[in-house]
Amino acid sequence: MREPATPAPLPLRERPAANRAVFAPSSFLGLGPAVFSRGPAGEAVDEMEASRRSRKGAGGCLAVATPTRRLGLRRTLATLALVTLPALAAYHNSFSGPFIFDDIRSIVDNPRLHHLATALPESPENGGTLVGRPVVRVSLWLNHAWGGKEVGGYHGLNLLLHVLSAWTLGVLARRLLESPRLGARYGEQSFGLALAIALLWTVHPLQTESVTYVVQRSEILGGLFYLLTLYGVVRSITAGGRRRKLWSAASLIFCVLGLASKETVATAPLAALAMDRVFFAPSWRRLWRERGGLYAALACSWVLLAMLMAASHQRMGSAGFGLGMRPWDYARTQPYYLCRYLLLSAWPSALTFDYGAYVARTVGEVVPYAAVVLLLLALTLLALWREPALGFCGLWFFLVLGPTSSFVPLVTQTGAEHRMYLPLVGVMGLAVVGGYTLWRRVGALPPAIRRAGPALILGLAVLALAARTVARNEDYRSDLSIWRSAVENWPANPRAHNNLGNALANAGRLREAIAQDEEALRLEPDFPEAHNNLGLALASGGRFTEAIAQYKEALRLKPDFSQAYNNLGIALEGEGRLPEAIAQYEQTVRLRPDSADAHYNLANALVKAGQILEAESQFQEALTLDPALADAYENLAWLYATHPDASYRNGSEAVRLAQEAVRLKGNHASCLDTLAAAYAEAGRFSEAIGAAERALVLARAEAETSLADQIEARLGRYRAGQSFHEGSP
């Protein structure tokens, strides 16, 4: 895939003197040296043109030399098998990792993925990671259709798509190494070199954020269709007749599907054009004459991208101009990230899940990294002039990263490791082909070492990278572990501290949670989510007055913050300020009418306030929005079974609701207690006694002493043939 600086003779092989190369001007840019050989009449002929002359069939049809179809098929299938096994080894411990961060809103709490008819249209409910990406949403709908919210299936499909991407990369790299530009130098080694590129790319730990973090499936699908687009272009170049048209059409379809998966696929037409000129076309004029229509068609796919961006409202305000971050601030930060990406490609030791919205502000944060990037750009241009195949590596890196790492702000994350999913191809290609070329030039090596050395080095590299990937997947085993690693590797990110605080609070470690929330606010005082999470941690410890102050500050900073209204209602209810709590719940429902939890919380407060009809309506709305909300079934069943006013009681309906709650929650003491009360209200006392006895055993086993005492008292009433109502002695 990469051309060495100077042509070297193949090992153990001597070429005839008449075919030795001389140099004359011609290159990717039309200016620099290219390899020439002698034609039949002794004239100098471009090596790529000579290759074409020697490979024309009887009908004069151009056909780039490749292995026989049968050998090619065997190598293609071998590539699939050989990348699958290391991928499974590297990601075997990823399948049980939970949904984390954006997975929750985009997948777990997204009812639109439950049906294809609702998954396809654009909606803010899809979350910022899924808007404008209908192909990704359809793939997640398939996951839900197959296994609901069972996380292993989502991880499995991510890994399958990653393996398919690696397979496509392997067969694409092999065809480029057999192209007119590189075939004479690397054609015989094309299978091994392409496989090495694919293997290293597959198991590299920098890919874990794309593969193990479920919602980043957009990166994998975009990468897969990007590579397929280029593969289709290569096949259309080397095929003839009708097959050429079919492969051209396939490349266009792949490009469209890619744009509907990830916006960075917009650069695929440009990458395909550059690839054609570097590896196949002897001149720009001939390229445009023979395949200009194909590239014009690929460029038309940008219309689809514009439509998707418009429909997603600049990806819900997360990408584009006028969204709170100046293009210059974003652009001057990117050199640091580009250098970090390259460092992590070579030494992936401090991988970070979330870099936040870091912006470079000082000279020391900008100038050194900008100088490195400018040097790399200059070397890329020089290589495109002198050694186009080598320059294509740098061009690939900068081109694929262009949409996310230039001047168009992505305001939620100025840097992210998943953006290296495809650019890593260029780095691995340069490392493999460049390393192999240098190895061939090392003299005084025994033949056995010369032959076995590259395979041994590759094996050790794959093992080392795969082991690091396995270790990195362990960080994804819980919210707590992934956010702890993020804080350790990027302590200046307030969002990481905030999310670590949330994870610690969920684990019951309130003191540590409060410390993390306070650190987040030290780094960013006007951070409404951190104020909200600090309030949650304080409220969990019974410190309602302090929690209320944090919620109010969050609402001052973000007046439409529905979660803060809901949590403020809970804290006010905890202090016994029920009318104020109901007002906050009602505001939450106004802001989030689609939130089952908001309706459920309002319903419970209305019951306490004696507004039974209004509460019943809110319970029903919650169950309409979320038919699996077990607590709503249980509380409504309790209301129908035990309310002191007989006009509100309904024994048969209470039984139905309580049975559904038990089905959803299993044998839980409170659920069985509710079911027993419902049976008693319906006059089914023997069943009420059985349910209450099971509830009593569970409550005692779980050391819920107060609940056990209440159940025991109610059990006595059921044995006496009496139902239980609130306020009963």
Side-chain angles (χ1 to χ4, degrees):
M1 193 171 178
R2 271 70 181 177
E3 186 181 13
T6 307
L10 295 175
L12 306 179
R13 189 176 195 144
E14 185 174 352
R15 290 179 291 179
N19 288 334
R20 288 183 181 168
V22 294
F23 290 90
S26 178
S27 72
F28 173 76
L29 301 177
L31 299 172
V35 180
F36 272 65
S37 59
R38 296 294 173 184
E43 79 278 16
V45 180
D46 187 296
E47 182 182 281
M48 296 173 68
E49 182 60 27
S51 175
R52 284 171 169 76
R53 287 186 182 182
S54 64
R55 292 162 186 170
K56 286 185 179 180
C61 180
L62 179 64
V64 177
T66 61
T68 64
R69 183 172 299 180
R70 183 176 300 175
L71 177 60
L73 178 60
R74 285 204 302 267
R75 287 182 170 181
T76 298
L77 295 177
T79 301
L80 176 60
L82 291 171
V83 298
T84 299
L85 295 177
L88 287 172
Y91 287 95
H92 75 276
N93 61 333
S94 70
F95 294 98
S96 59
F99 293 113
I100 57 175
F101 200 32
D102 285 336
D103 289 342
I104 306 302
R105 180 181 179 186
S106 298
I107 301 173
V108 179
D109 295 339
N110 187 359
R112 298 186 69 85
L113 297 180
H114 299 177
H115 307 283
L116 180 60
T118 53
L120 276 172
E122 295 295 337
S123 169
E125 293 179 48
N126 290 316
T129 53
L130 297 185
V131 292
R133 298 167 180 175
V135 171
V136 182
R137 297 198 299 271
V138 169
S139 76
L140 293 169
W141 163 75
L142 286 172
N143 265 126
H144 188 275
W146 292 335
K149 296 178 182 177
E150 199 285 309
V151 71
Y154 293 82
H155 285 301
L157 186 51
N158 270 26
L159 182 56
L160 173 61
L161 293 169
H162 182 52
V163 169
L164 291 176
S165 298
W167 184 26
T168 306
L169 170 60
V171 295
L172 173 63
R174 178 166 59 84
R175 288 187 174 270
L176 295 183
L177 289 164
E178 294 168 353
S179 67
R181 172 73 63 179
L182 298 179
R185 300 177 185 181
Y186 301 109
E188 292 186 1
Q189 295 83 26
S190 62
F191 174 72
L193 293 173
L195 179 61
I197 294 168
L199 282 173
L200 293 173
W201 182 83
T202 301
V203 303
H204 199 289
L206 198 53
Q207 307 290 45
T208 51
E209 186 171 315
S210 298
V211 181
T212 311
Y213 182 22
V214 175
V215 82
Q216 287 305 332
R217 182 176 297 174
S218 58
E219 202 73 59
I220 307 175
L221 279 168
L224 173 60
F225 289 123
Y226 199 117
L227 293 168
L228 284 171
T229 299
L230 269 61
Y231 182 72
V233 169
V234 170
R235 294 303 301 269
S236 73
I237 294 171
T238 59
R242 185 183 177 189
R243 290 171 60 85
R244 174 175 296 182
K245 294 180 180 179
L246 290 175
W247 279 111
S248 296
S251 66
L252 179 59
I253 293 170
F254 292 142
C255 189
V256 168
L257 291 172
L259 286 170
S261 303
K262 184 78 175 180
E263 298 74 21
T264 51
V265 182
T267 62
L270 301 176
L273 183 66
M275 175 190 69
D276 191 347
R277 178 63 184 92
V278 168
F279 296 101
F280 297 97
S283 67
W284 286 109
R285 178 177 297 178
R286 180 165 175 177
L287 182 155
W288 194 251
R289 184 176 68 247
E290 295 182 356
R291 292 180 289 279
L294 170 60
Y295 296 112
L298 289 173
C300 289
S301 64
W302 293 333
V303 176
L304 171 65
L305 176 62
M307 294 170 61
L308 290 171
M309 289 294 290
S312 66
H313 303 288
Q314 289 184 293
R315 298 199 43 71
M316 288 181 59
S318 64
F321 304 110
L323 300 175
M325 182 176 291
R326 295 181 302 176
W328 167 241
D329 291 339
Y330 189 82
R332 72 175 185 236
T333 305
Q334 293 314 301
Y336 168 79
Y337 281 120
L338 292 175
C339 293
R340 184 174 179 86
Y341 297 155
L342 288 171
L343 178 62
L344 290 174
S345 300
W347 191 257
S349 63
L351 299 174
T352 302
F353 180 67
D354 182 16
Y355 289 92
Y358 160 73
V359 173
R361 302 189 184 281
T362 66
V363 172
E365 292 176 288
V366 177
V367 173
Y369 305 107
V372 172
V373 171
L374 289 173
L375 175 62
L376 292 174
L377 282 169
L379 291 174
T380 296
L381 292 174
L382 179 63
L384 286 171
W385 175 38
R386 300 295 300 272
E387 297 288 347
L390 178 65
F392 187 74
C393 300
L395 180 65
W396 176 276
F397 177 81
F398 287 112
L399 188 62
V400 180
L401 279 171
T404 59
S405 302
S406 53
F407 59 89
V408 180
L410 277 67
V411 296
T412 55
Q413 269 191 305
T414 52
E417 288 167 6
H418 63 79
R419 295 173 191 169
M420 272 296 287
Y421 186 73
L422 264 188
L424 189 63
V425 169
V427 180
M428 294 298 100
L430 179 61
V432 169
V433 180
Y436 177 73
T437 302
L438 292 175
W439 179 265
R440 286 199 318 187
R441 294 182 179 180
V442 174
L445 286 177
I449 295 178
R450 183 179 292 276
R451 288 192 299 270
L456 179 61
I457 294 170
L458 173 64
L460 292 174
V462 169
L463 283 174
L465 291 174
R468 181 70 185 95
T469 294
V470 171
R472 178 58 174 164
N473 283 329
E474 289 298 314
D475 291 334
Y476 286 87
R477 298 302 291 268
S478 69
D479 275 330
L480 189 57
S481 58
I482 193 63
W483 288 115
R484 188 175 296 283
S485 74
V487 165
E488 289 172 354
N489 293 325
W490 199 259
N493 180 7
R495 185 165 62 203
H497 286 282
N498 175 59
N499 288 328
L500 177 57
N502 190 42
L504 288 164
N506 291 336
R509 297 159 63 173
L510 297 180
R511 182 175 298 179
E512 296 172 80
I514 290 171
Q516 290 298 325
D517 293 330
E518 289 175 340
E519 177 63 14
L521 289 171
R522 186 190 69 79
L523 293 168
E524 186 179 338
D526 294 338
F527 190 177
E529 286 79 7
H531 283 288
N532 178 67
N533 282 357
L534 178 55
L536 278 171
L538 292 167
S540 297
R543 298 160 63 178
F544 292 115
T545 302
E546 296 170 80
I548 288 169
Q550 293 298 324
Y551 294 140
K552 288 183 176 180
E553 180 64 14
L555 290 169
R556 184 188 69 80
L557 295 167
K558 188 177 179 181
D560 61 346
F561 196 177
S562 62
Q563 290 177 331
Y565 280 111
N566 181 73
N567 295 336
L568 177 57
I570 294 172
L572 290 167
E573 192 174 344
E575 286 203 331
R577 298 157 63 178
L578 193 57
E580 295 174 77
I582 289 174
Q584 301 305 318
Y585 292 140
E586 288 174 338
Q587 180 65 11
T588 307
V589 168
R590 279 192 289 271
L591 289 170
R592 288 290 308 277
D594 59 339
S595 170
D597 289 338
H599 289 282
Y600 170 75
N601 287 344
L602 177 57
N604 287 329
L606 290 169
V607 168
K608 292 179 182 178
Q611 302 178 43
I612 304 304
L613 293 178
E614 293 87 344
E616 183 181 14
S617 174
Q618 292 299 322
F619 276 130
Q620 296 291 358
E621 183 64 22
L623 290 172
T624 299
L625 291 167
D626 185 1
L629 187 55
D631 288 342
Y633 286 108
E634 182 181 351
N635 287 8
L636 185 54
W638 185 262
L639 174 66
Y640 285 154
T642 68
H643 196 275
D645 188 338
S647 64
Y648 294 122
R649 295 200 296 269
N650 184 335
S652 59
E653 181 64 8
V655 169
R656 185 189 71 81
L657 293 167
Q659 287 175 334
E660 184 64 15
V662 170
R663 186 187 69 81
L664 291 167
K665 293 180 73 173
N667 287 326
H668 189 274
S670 67
C671 267
L672 289 171
D673 181 32
T674 300
L675 180 59
Y679 279 139
E681 178 61 25
R684 298 160 62 176
F685 289 104
S686 61
E687 293 168 280
I689 292 169
E693 288 175 341
R694 299 201 309 274
L696 183 59
V697 170
L698 288 170
R700 286 173 175 169
E702 295 166 4
E704 297 183 35
T705 306
S706 176
L707 178 60
D709 292 342
Q710 295 173 36
I711 294 172
E712 190 168 19
R714 287 191 276 271
L715 180 57
R717 296 182 63 89
Y718 305 151
R719 286 172 175 160
Q722 299 175 352
S723 56
F724 170 79
H725 303 137
E726 292 283 1
S728 301

